Amino acid sequence: MPNPVLPAELALDIQRAGFYPQLVADVMGQQLGERQILSHYVHVETHFGYDDLHRHITVLVLAEGNVLAALHLNDLQDEPQSAARASVATEIVPLSKIDSCVVTTGYDSPQQYQPGQPPSEVTLVLSWAGGARMEFLPNLCDDPECEADHGYLATHIAEDLVLRIAGKADGQRAVDKALAFSRKLRDAILENA
């Protein structure tokens, strides 16, 4: 089955991200089907360890039908000599299911702020009932001599989507695009509330 062609701007942003662009574009196209794309944001995170490098790309698409499509692709290369592997997760969330959309902006040198000055960073936090995880920790005893097994304590944590875009790392263009996307997303969420 042929894939719908992504709009030029989204395809270009995926290509610029440089992280398996054909795979990302193909999977996102499959998820969206024939839905018209209203706005999008592409974000790449790179994490360095002592002897490894991990990349993660998130593509968010606001599409007709009042949905948010989210794609996450992770590097799964375990060892430097092993073959490259990737994991792709996708979700389509009705805007009516998004419980919270928090946009936090950061400003360098706030004492010198001028009206209309763009933020130097944006953090976008979205919450919906899409998934959750449980964290288990040993239930410890106050008695340092105690060797009994006291079981585990569990914490249920909602899986929120958190993206932090910093001008110093991602460039001011990325910050501006993230802010513009978050505004369109908020407006769409409010229209569907």
Side-chain angles (χ1 to χ4, degrees):
M1 176 171 107
N3 239 356
V5 176
L6 296 178
E9 187 179 348
L10 174 56
L12 183 59
D13 284 350
I14 290 171
Q15 189 69 36
R16 281 185 185 138
F19 185 37
Y20 304 127
Q22 291 85 4
L23 176 59
V24 172
D26 188 52
V27 172
M28 182 54 85
Q30 290 173 29
Q31 293 305 305
L32 290 169
E34 298 298 323
R35 288 182 181 92
Q36 179 185 359
I37 294 172
L38 307 174
S39 186
H40 74 273
Y41 186 72
V42 177
H43 182 66
V44 175
E45 295 177 68
T46 305
H47 303 278
F48 298 94
Y50 287 108
D51 58 354
D52 60 356
L53 165 78
H54 292 282
R55 296 175 296 173
H56 176 90
I57 185 169
T58 300
V59 180
L60 299 176
V61 173
L62 178 61
E64 73 176 352
N66 301 319
V67 297
L68 174 70
L71 176 145
H72 303 280
L73 185 144
N74 287 294
D75 258 338
L76 293 179
Q77 191 168 357
D78 299 326
E79 298 178 20
Q81 310 303 4
S82 64
R85 294 179 45 229
S87 166
V88 184
T90 59
E91 185 170 11
I92 295 186
V93 182
L95 295 180
S96 61
K97 296 289 184 188
I98 297 177
D99 298 322
S100 177
C101 177
V102 179
V103 179
T104 304
T105 53
Y107 296 86
D108 293 337
S109 304
Q111 71 278 13
Q112 298 171 355
Y113 176 82
Q114 297 295 315
Q117 177 181 331
S120 56
E121 70 179 53
V122 172
T123 302
L124 174 62
V125 179
L126 297 174
S127 175
W128 62 84
R133 71 180 193 278
M134 297 292 287
E135 283 190 0
F136 294 92
L137 298 171
N139 187 11
L140 301 176
C141 179
D142 290 337
D143 180 2
E145 302 297 319
C146 181
E147 294 182 14
D149 182 353
H150 294 284
Y152 290 88
L153 297 175
T155 304
H156 181 266
I157 300 171
E159 287 282 70
D160 294 339
L161 174 73
V162 179
L163 290 181
R164 181 176 176 265
I165 302 92
K168 290 178 182 170
D170 303 303
Q172 188 61 43
R173 180 177 178 272
V175 172
D176 296 343
K177 286 186 87 163
L179 191 58
F181 174 78
S182 64
R183 286 177 178 153
K184 286 184 181 180
L185 179 59
R186 279 179 135 174
D187 289 347
I189 290 168
L190 289 173
E191 287 174 12
N192 288 283

